[in-house]
Amino acid sequence: MCEIETAAPEIPVLPPELFLLKLGEVVLKGLNRSHFEDKLMANVARRLRPLGTFRIYTRQSTIYVEPQSGVTDMDAVYHACSQIFGIVSVVRAVPCEKSVPAIVETAKLYLAPEFARAKDFKVESKRADKRFPLNSIQLSQQVGSLLHRAFPKTAVNVHDPELTVYVEIRERAAYVHGPTLPGAGGLPVGMGGKAVSLLSGGIDSPVASWMMAKRGLALEMVHFFSYPYTSNEAKEKVLELASLLTGYCGRLTVNIVPFTGIQEELRRSCPEPYFTLAMRRFMMRISEMIADRVGAGALVTGESLGQVASQTMAAMAVTEDVVKKPVFRPLIGMDKEEIVKISRHIGTFDTSILPYEDCCTVFTPRHPRTQPKVSDFDDIETKYDFEGLCQQAFDNIERVQIPFRNQRDA
């Protein structure tokens, strides 16, 4: 008696996931667009290098990130891509053949868990490849009808569904995906040049740094450290803030400036109402020296108009009078609630409020001058050798390298 062998049914296998990174302002750059795209792809490659090997290329205002060997944490890749400036949205998708049956089969396999949870759905299509025979509405209708047959317990709701199935018809393939993750927006870090950002241990300066990195600036950080008046915990707090910023800003260097000698000299010779302003003038001078050393074209501070006595218009004019480089103050018109909201969004708030004081709180005057003049310092600054003091602090700077950090696992 002959036994008839029957072949086991084929189990459908999804192709590997990939990531579609949608570009924002970069697409508006005209003849310079290719330079922005090249810089952005280099930033993506550098940011993802610790997470595995990827093929990265650009087409149709989108950067494609295809994982190759060694990628074990796709969630970490997804999160990292969402923090790269220049990208407005991140899509985690599966490619397939450009046909309705292939799209439906891919959606059934890829989004089966979502269909099991959702009470209703719709299909939203985008046809970037105009050679495809169906327009977007026709494609959505056909795919939606077939998916409803496959998942009859999930109703169709084109207005406010729990699940949206996205279909993109592109040059090389069709892509099926679920929700889109918002990106960081802005411009690729490095396209705007380089600046030195003054990083204290508070809420404002990390937000200011983040905002200027979003406009394409590469940053070199500087922190003024007054041991033993400020503790080593305060220093570690600042390094932690820098580490939290690396997901957005890239690898950072923090210049730790020994500031104790300058503050003690000011305490001996500076009239108390002018102490904070004289101290900030020293900070600006030293920050500009660092900027000259690293080739930076501007300084960045976290000042907000009227927030404290040293942040009046007159006071800021006094502090920036000692430098030639432009001073960027991205928080200048923001109130504290707005700044805190961003701080929470970028993950720095909880560290910023740790109770370790920075050098700006040392020897705080009881009645600080709020409407000073630059001429007020003509006599004050003749009492000390500010050039020698600045050079001594500059020569003893500790430079700390801060590598990329995956905040998702922090």
Side-chain angles (χ1 to χ4, degrees):
M1 189 173 177
C2 297
E3 292 184 4
I4 299 174
E5 293 185 5
T6 57
E10 285 190 14
I11 300 174
V13 178
L14 279 172
E17 279 186 304
L18 52 76
F19 300 90
L20 307 178
L21 314 183
K22 309 298 182 68
L23 307 187
E25 282 186 71
V26 170
V27 303
L28 305 176
K29 294 304 176 183
L31 297 177
N32 292 321
R33 176 173 168 174
S34 62
H35 300 297
F36 282 81
E37 288 184 346
D38 290 345
K39 183 64 175 177
L40 181 51
M41 284 196 292
N43 289 352
V44 171
R46 188 177 302 111
R47 181 65 180 87
L48 298 184
R49 192 171 296 133
L51 300 175
T53 304
F54 304 85
R55 180 178 177 230
I56 300 170
Y57 56 95
T58 181
R59 280 183 176 80
Q60 297 176 304
S61 301
T62 299
I63 292 177
Y64 293 71
V65 177
E66 297 181 357
Q68 307 294 301
S69 60
V71 179
T72 58
D73 192 341
M74 296 290 280
D75 291 339
V77 177
Y78 196 32
H79 179 76
C81 289
S82 73
Q83 293 184 309
I84 300 171
F85 288 126
I87 296 166
V88 294
S89 63
V90 182
V91 171
R92 188 170 175 172
V94 169
C96 65
E97 177 189 315
K98 291 190 284 187
S99 70
V100 170
I103 292 168
V104 171
E105 190 62 27
T106 299
K108 285 164 56 178
L109 293 171
Y110 187 47
L111 299 176
E114 284 74 11
F115 272 102
R117 290 190 293 265
K119 68 178 182 181
D120 48 28
F121 82 102
K122 73 172 181 178
V123 176
E124 193 169 300
S125 302
K126 180 179 179 181
R127 187 184 61 152
D129 180 2
K130 303 304 180 185
R131 297 170 299 177
F132 189 75
L134 302 177
N135 63 32
S136 297
I137 295 175
Q138 292 169 332
L139 179 59
S140 294
Q141 289 173 338
Q142 292 194 24
V143 172
S145 176
L146 293 170
L147 285 175
H148 184 48
R149 290 185 197 175
F151 301 100
K153 293 183 179 179
T154 308
V156 175
N157 178 356
V158 297
H159 299 293
D160 186 26
E162 286 188 3
L163 170 64
T164 299
V165 178
Y166 295 92
V167 178
E168 299 189 31
I169 305 296
R170 292 180 163 269
E171 181 183 8
R172 292 186 170 184
Y175 298 87
V176 176
H177 62 89
T180 296
L181 186 68
L187 296 172
V189 169
M191 287 306 298
K194 191 172 189 177
V196 165
S197 186
L198 282 70
L199 185 64
S200 70
I203 295 171
D204 300 342
S205 57
V207 173
S209 301
W210 178 85
M211 291 180 69
M212 294 315 304
K214 186 174 183 178
R215 300 312 306 157
L217 281 183
L219 298 177
E220 181 97 2
M221 317 304 280
V222 58
H223 175 68
F224 294 88
F225 183 54
S226 294
Y227 185 82
Y229 301 110
T230 55
S231 65
N232 280 316
E233 287 83 0
K235 175 181 172 181
E236 293 303 318
K237 172 184 172 181
V238 168
L239 296 178
E240 172 69 7
L241 287 171
S243 180
L244 290 169
L245 289 171
T246 57
Y248 298 98
C249 303
R251 291 187 296 264
L252 292 171
T253 299
V254 182
N255 294 266
I256 308 293
V257 180
F259 207 56
T260 307
I262 290 173
Q263 287 194 299
E264 289 178 339
E265 180 65 29
L266 288 174
R267 189 185 188 187
R268 286 191 292 269
S269 61
C270 180
E272 184 183 359
Y274 294 96
F275 179 89
T276 299
L277 293 172
M279 177 185 71
R280 293 186 66 81
R281 281 164 69 91
F282 267 106
M283 290 178 172
M284 298 298 277
R285 289 184 177 104
I286 295 170
S287 297
E288 188 168 57
M289 293 169 71
I290 294 170
D292 288 337
R293 179 170 66 183
V294 302
L299 307 179
V300 177
T301 76
E303 293 165 298
S304 173
L305 186 62
Q307 187 175 118
V308 295
S310 63
Q311 294 178 17
T312 64
M313 185 162 59
M316 287 188 282
V318 165
T319 57
E320 75 173 36
D321 175 66
V322 296
V323 296
K324 296 179 180 179
K325 297 185 187 300
V327 180
F328 296 154
R329 299 179 173 96
L331 311 186
I332 195 70
M334 299 176 70
D335 62 32
K336 200 67 176 183
E337 185 176 345
E338 293 170 311
I339 298 168
V340 166
K341 183 177 180 180
I342 297 174
S343 179
R344 292 185 186 277
H345 169 68
I346 66 177
T348 57
F349 178 78
D350 288 341
T351 301
S352 291
I353 61 173
L354 292 174
Y356 306 122
E357 297 181 333
D358 60 44
C359 69
C360 292
T361 62
V362 177
F363 311 137
T364 303
R366 290 164 295 179
H367 304 290
R369 185 61 58 93
T370 59
Q371 297 299 321
K373 299 182 178 66
V374 173
S375 58
D376 294 340
F377 290 82
D378 291 343
D379 291 333
I380 294 172
E381 293 189 340
T382 60
K383 299 177 182 178
Y384 44 77
D385 176 17
F386 62 83
E387 290 185 1
L389 290 168
C390 287
Q391 189 63 51
Q392 183 178 10
F394 180 79
D395 290 342
N396 288 282
I397 286 174
E398 176 190 2
R399 288 171 56 83
V400 180
Q401 307 294 327
I402 310 294
F404 278 128
R405 172 174 175 174
N406 180 16
Q407 271 105 307
R408 194 182 73 90
D409 297 327

